[in-house]
Amino acid sequence: MSRFQRAATLVLTFILLLPAAAFADQAKKLYDEGKAAEARENYELAYDLYSKAYNLKPSDLRYKASITRMRFLAGASYVHRGQKLRDEGKLEDALVLFEKAYVVDPSSFIAQQEIKKTRAMIDSKSGGGGAKPEAMTPIRKRLEEAQEPVELAPISNVPITLKLTEDSKVIYQTIGKLAGLNVLFDPDYTSRRVSVELNGVTLDQALQVVAMESKTFWRPVTPNTIFVASDTIAKRKELEQNVIKTFYLSNVSLPTELQDMVNAIRSILEVSRIQQLPTQKAIVVRGTPDQVALADKLISDIDKAKPEVVIDVMVMTVTTDVTRDLGIVPPSNATVALQGTNTTGTTTTGTTTSTGTTTPNTLVLNSFANLTANDFLVTIPQATANFVFSNAGTKIIQSPRIRASDNQKASLKIGDRVPVATGSFQPGIGGVGINPLVNTQFQYIDVGVNIDVTPQVHANREVSMKVTIDVSEVDSYVSIGGISQPVIGQRKIEHEVRLKEGEVSLMGGILQDQDVKNWSGIPGLGQIPILRYLFASEHTEKQHSEIVFALIPHIVRNQDLTALNERALDVGTGTSIELRRKIESPGGGAPQGSAFPPKGGEPRPAGVAQAQNPPVAAPATPATPPAVAPPQQAGIPAPASGTISFTFDPATASQATGSTFPVNVMLSNGQDVFSVPLQISYDPKLLQLVNVSNGSFLSQDGQPVALVHRDDPSTGMLQVTATRPPSSGGASGQGTVLTLTFLAKAPGQGTVSITRPGARNSSGQVIPASGGQASVTVH
């Protein structure tokens, strides 16, 4: 092969290998970026980067292992973000994230659940009604069509005045007509005559008072029908409606906790039909709607996530050792020894020569006669000059972190497990080895940092902790009974403390200071102040050791209490559980959730007569609202036959400031008049309404009259209704319907007018009526 062909082959091989190397480098770069993203806990980005690296180099098992490990975390991250978006009402965006989670991790069952749930919510929001099951069995259809507990439709919260002494059935029927409700009675109920005098109460409150006064109870049958019966245990058990509900608990972990919750519901709410299901962490309750509602409240009060605390534990050890050696250490001793002669002899035999040497320092008696200075050996040690300074410092900081639930013990052990012989053991025969007839047992001791903590979170963001900290190490070994046993150095603290969140507590500390100072040298010379460093040496050592234990609690989950959890509720009497509805006081506006605002434009339930701003509570009939006739002015001729006429008596009044005076509302040409709803206006700057009382027209035959009125002193508008008892027929003729008592407030001239007259006969039909007005002068 020529030189040119070899060069071309090398270039071609390089070109072919270049893309593979480039892909490998790119895959490695993506893999490193994925590791960085994983360290930042950005699992979604880490999964994408690992996937790209694997696609570039699928033969590398590192990339495949990273994808497999990251698949679950990335899917869980998508699900978590989707749940947050769904809670914010962004259903479409949440569905996209749930679908991404399912693509990343097809085995994620939670992702499939959330997709199904979110799609159903989107369909329900768009009016699709949600997904229907493919095959609806008759039983399932019956369940789907089952209704919830019957609730009464909202009734007016307009304050009324009710004064009646009548049979309890009549009172119930009267209030029912005013509220637009049908009233049914238990065939076994025996009514009795009661006296009711209520001022400024709502219709719902009037029903409650009558039930208490007559010792009865009522339950809704339809949204506008109630059923009344005697208030006895047997009748309540027979007639009260029952509902069933399954409560799934999210924070109960132990069967004993589930049993405690069941016991609380059974004993407090007197629910006898309750069953716990530990495998599903659920409770099934059957009872009245009020009992089930109260059970729901109790469960929401008790089924709370336990508070959690993260505790930073710091074990700090600081050791300092400063050493200084300064000075000259002169010789402190000398040795003198006699030294003999060394004799060396040489012998030659043929070609072999041998040399003999005598032992040094060998002396004979004749040598003592000729001793000279050369026969003495004097040995003097060397002098040592020390100029050394050393400073050694050791810092050991152990900062473990523990997360624990409220009132639950958490343990952390960092270190080794050291075996220690226990039981019966002794040396073998002759003190060597272990006697095989003795069974030696070993137990393992945790050596290192051992922490046990039991926190208790308080409502004021304080934490009580029972803490045990044990910091130990193996110092040395000793032989006991022929077995090498470790000697364990230990620093242990048992402590109970209450801290605020983030407060640092120094649980304990050991501070040790040690000073060592040594002088060595020639006596006398080594004590001369200036020259002593030439004839002596100084050794100085300072040791400082400090050990500190510190605790810092951080509350990461607190007790989640709502306003409803802390509210006290009216639950009836000692013999019956009943959830009383909250009703605003008169003049305070409608209760929350009511369809009746406090002033004009109030909607009313079907069958209740409509009126101008504000309405008048009138007997309920399916007839059309009363026709509005123009006000009848004084001096206008009487209306045609068949039309009721309302006038004031006196038609003209002159009063002094601060005086009170009555004004009668007169009715003429009445035929079968059963109820009279009126709207009367007056000048609130001049007059103040003091009282409304019943006249003699509707009670001409001795029948009691229910008088209901509402006064708005800011606008000078009075709504008043006078009604005869049910089944009592109507009144005919003429007479006084109402008597209004006014207080003259300020000088001026004004009028009192019937702006909306009305009347109904005993059949509930509207009777045409005309109004009138009176002139009032205050001086």
Side-chain angles (χ1 to χ4, degrees):
M1 182 181 294
S2 62
R3 182 179 301 175
F4 177 76
Q5 289 176 336
R6 288 197 300 269
T9 302
L10 292 175
V11 171
L12 181 61
T13 303
F14 177 76
I15 294 175
L16 293 176
L17 294 178
L18 183 60
F23 287 156
D25 293 341
Q26 182 67 17
K28 181 63 168 59
K29 180 180 179 182
L30 291 171
Y31 177 74
D32 293 338
E33 293 177 357
K35 291 175 61 178
E38 182 181 356
R40 297 191 302 269
E41 297 184 356
N42 190 348
Y43 302 124
E44 299 171 15
L45 178 60
Y47 177 80
D48 293 338
L49 293 172
Y50 288 151
S51 299
K52 292 178 181 179
Y54 176 73
N55 292 333
L56 291 177
K57 196 175 181 182
S59 60
D60 196 327
L61 292 180
R62 292 181 304 167
Y63 305 155
K64 186 174 182 179
S66 299
I67 291 176
T68 305
R69 175 171 47 83
M70 197 55 52
R71 176 172 282 116
F72 169 77
L73 295 175
S77 177
Y78 279 121
V79 169
H80 179 66
R81 288 205 296 135
Q83 289 171 339
K84 292 179 62 177
L85 288 177
R86 188 179 61 194
D87 293 340
E88 297 172 1
K90 303 175 181 178
L91 301 180
E92 289 78 6
D93 297 339
L95 181 60
V96 172
L97 291 179
F98 292 144
E99 290 175 345
K100 285 185 177 179
Y102 181 69
V103 172
V104 170
D105 187 7
S107 63
S108 175
F109 187 70
I110 184 66
Q112 301 176 34
Q113 286 181 320
E114 298 295 354
I115 290 173
K116 183 178 179 180
K117 182 178 179 180
T118 307
R119 285 177 177 171
M121 294 175 66
I122 294 175
D123 293 341
S124 177
K125 185 177 180 181
S126 61
K132 298 289 184 181
E134 296 181 0
M136 179 70 74
T137 63
I139 298 294
R140 183 60 182 270
K141 184 179 180 181
R142 183 181 293 271
L143 288 176
E144 293 291 340
E145 295 175 352
Q147 69 174 9
E148 295 182 351
V150 178
E151 292 285 344
L152 281 181
I155 59 178
S156 175
N157 68 326
V158 177
I160 65 171
T161 298
L162 182 64
K163 300 178 181 180
L164 284 173
T165 301
E166 189 55 78
D167 186 87
S168 58
K169 285 187 177 181
V170 175
I171 298 177
Y172 264 118
Q173 290 172 346
T174 301
I175 298 175
K177 283 189 174 292
L178 294 174
L181 299 175
N182 301 313
V183 182
L184 304 178
F185 293 92
D186 181 42
D188 299 332
Y189 172 60
T190 303
S191 62
R192 61 189 183 92
R193 192 176 183 85
V194 296
S195 178
V196 176
E197 184 172 347
L198 303 174
N199 295 313
V201 298
T202 65
L203 292 171
D204 190 75
Q205 290 172 337
L207 284 174
Q208 294 180 11
V209 172
V210 172
M212 184 182 300
E213 183 73 19
S214 61
K215 297 187 182 303
T216 58
F217 76 98
W218 55 268
R219 53 155 293 191
V221 179
T222 66
N224 65 338
T225 304
I226 62 174
F227 188 86
V228 181
S230 299
D231 191 4
T232 62
I233 296 177
K235 281 297 180 183
R236 282 188 174 271
K237 186 175 181 181
E238 176 185 350
L239 297 176
E240 278 190 327
Q241 58 179 326
N242 272 219
V243 296
I244 185 171
K245 184 176 181 181
T246 302
F247 297 94
Y248 292 94
L249 311 179
S250 57
N251 298 293
V252 171
S253 56
L254 300 176
T256 55
E257 297 176 349
L258 189 63
Q259 183 62 47
D260 291 342
M261 191 173 297
V262 170
N263 293 338
I265 296 174
R266 180 180 288 116
S267 60
I268 294 176
L269 302 181
E270 299 180 358
V271 178
S272 59
R273 298 176 180 178
I274 180 171
Q275 181 64 43
Q276 58 176 321
L277 303 174
T279 57
Q280 297 294 325
K281 295 182 180 179
I283 297 175
V284 182
V285 180
R286 177 185 172 184
T288 66
D290 290 345
Q291 285 177 321
V292 174
L294 290 170
D296 193 356
K297 180 190 181 301
L298 283 181
I299 290 174
S300 66
D301 293 343
I302 301 173
D303 187 27
K304 297 286 187 182
K306 291 184 178 180
E308 294 185 12
V309 182
V310 170
I311 303 172
D312 291 331
V313 183
M314 301 183 66
V315 181
M316 297 170 286
T317 303
V318 180
T319 303
T320 303
D321 190 354
V322 179
T323 304
R324 187 184 66 178
D325 291 325
L326 181 63
I328 299 175
V329 181
S332 58
N333 54 65
T335 58
V336 179
L338 288 175
Q339 182 162 277
T341 58
N342 296 329
T343 304
T344 303
T346 303
T347 304
T348 302
T349 305
T351 59
T352 302
T353 303
S354 60
T355 304
T357 304
T358 61
T359 304
N361 301 327
T362 300
L363 296 176
V364 295
L365 291 176
N366 292 334
S367 299
F368 286 100
N370 301 312
L371 289 176
T372 63
N374 293 331
D375 295 323
F376 292 92
L377 177 64
V378 179
T379 303
I380 300 176
Q382 299 177 351
T384 304
N386 296 321
F387 302 96
V388 178
F389 177 81
S390 64
N391 187 350
T394 303
K395 297 180 181 179
I396 301 175
I397 299 179
Q398 295 172 325
S399 182
R401 177 172 292 178
I402 304 174
R403 180 165 181 162
S405 297
D406 182 58
N407 212 24
Q408 298 293 320
K409 181 179 178 181
S411 299
L412 175 66
K413 300 182 184 298
I414 303 174
D416 302 321
R417 293 177 60 84
V418 178
V420 176
T422 59
S424 300
F425 61 95
Q426 63 182 13
I429 300 175
V432 180
I434 300 177
N435 191 337
L437 300 180
V438 178
N439 184 15
T440 302
Q441 300 176 349
F442 290 85
Q443 69 175 11
Y444 287 83
I445 299 178
D446 294 315
V447 175
V449 178
N450 303 313
I451 301 172
D452 294 331
V453 57
T454 304
Q456 185 175 0
V457 181
H458 302 283
N460 55 354
R461 301 193 66 81
E462 292 186 355
V463 182
S464 295
M465 293 177 291
K466 183 178 181 180
V467 185
T468 300
I469 299 180
D470 184 358
V471 180
S472 56
E473 60 182 354
V474 177
D475 288 341
S476 59
Y477 287 88
V478 297
S479 179
I480 300 177
I483 298 178
S484 179
Q485 295 278 63
V487 177
I488 299 175
Q490 186 182 56
R491 302 178 181 94
K492 184 176 182 179
I493 291 180
E494 293 184 2
H495 203 61
E496 291 189 18
V497 64
R498 179 166 177 166
L499 302 173
K500 293 183 178 180
E501 182 188 12
E503 183 180 357
V504 180
S505 172
L506 297 179
M507 295 182 58
I510 300 175
L511 179 63
Q512 181 179 356
D513 280 325
Q514 181 178 3
D515 290 340
V516 178
K517 188 173 183 180
N518 294 326
W519 277 93
S520 61
I522 299 176
L525 296 178
Q527 297 175 350
I528 299 175
I530 298 177
L531 301 178
R532 62 181 179 179
Y533 289 103
L534 298 176
F535 303 99
S537 176
E538 179 188 31
H539 174 77
T540 304
E541 183 176 359
K542 293 184 177 181
Q543 292 182 349
H544 176 85
S545 178
E546 183 176 2
I547 302 175
V548 177
F549 301 90
L551 286 181
I552 307 174
H554 303 281
I555 299 176
V556 295
R557 185 199 299 273
N558 210 338
Q559 190 175 18
D560 185 16
L561 297 178
T562 63
L564 181 61
N565 296 143
E566 298 178 333
R567 273 182 56 193
L569 302 179
D570 184 357
V571 295
T573 64
T575 58
S576 63
I577 301 295
E578 182 181 359
L579 189 61
R580 306 288 176 86
R581 304 302 194 271
K582 181 180 179 182
I583 302 175
E584 287 289 333
S585 59
Q592 183 179 3
S594 173
F596 298 88
K599 293 187 180 180
E602 297 170 327
R604 303 182 63 81
V608 178
Q610 302 292 326
Q612 287 185 348
N613 178 22
V616 178
T621 65
T624 57
V628 180
Q632 180 69 24
Q633 302 295 334
I636 296 179
S641 177
T643 300
I644 293 177
S645 175
F646 291 99
T647 59
F648 288 102
D649 181 27
T652 302
S654 179
Q655 300 293 327
T657 304
S659 63
T660 58
F661 61 97
V663 176
N664 297 319
V665 179
M666 308 298 296
L667 182 147
S668 60
N669 200 28
Q671 293 293 331
D672 190 24
V673 179
F674 181 79
S675 66
V676 178
L678 299 176
Q679 179 175 290
I680 301 173
S681 65
Y682 61 91
D683 190 348
K685 297 180 181 179
L686 274 66
L687 304 175
Q688 176 182 342
L689 181 66
V690 177
N691 186 36
V692 179
S693 59
N694 182 39
S696 59
F697 173 73
L698 292 177
S699 59
Q700 57 185 253
D701 56 351
Q703 294 289 343
V705 177
L707 187 62
V708 180
H709 68 85
R710 176 189 176 189
D711 177 43
D712 189 350
S714 62
T715 61
M717 192 67 65
L718 171 65
Q719 304 285 343
V720 58
T721 300
T723 307
R724 289 169 59 83
S727 305
S728 62
S732 300
Q734 61 183 9
T736 304
V737 179
L738 304 169
T739 297
L740 309 178
T741 303
F742 289 101
L743 170 68
K745 293 172 55 178
Q749 186 174 3
T751 60
V752 179
S753 304
I754 299 177
T755 57
R756 178 180 283 273
R760 292 178 181 270
N761 59 23
S762 58
S763 299
Q765 297 176 348
V766 177
I767 303 175
S770 62
Q773 71 176 17
S775 176
V776 179
T777 301
V778 180
H779 55 82

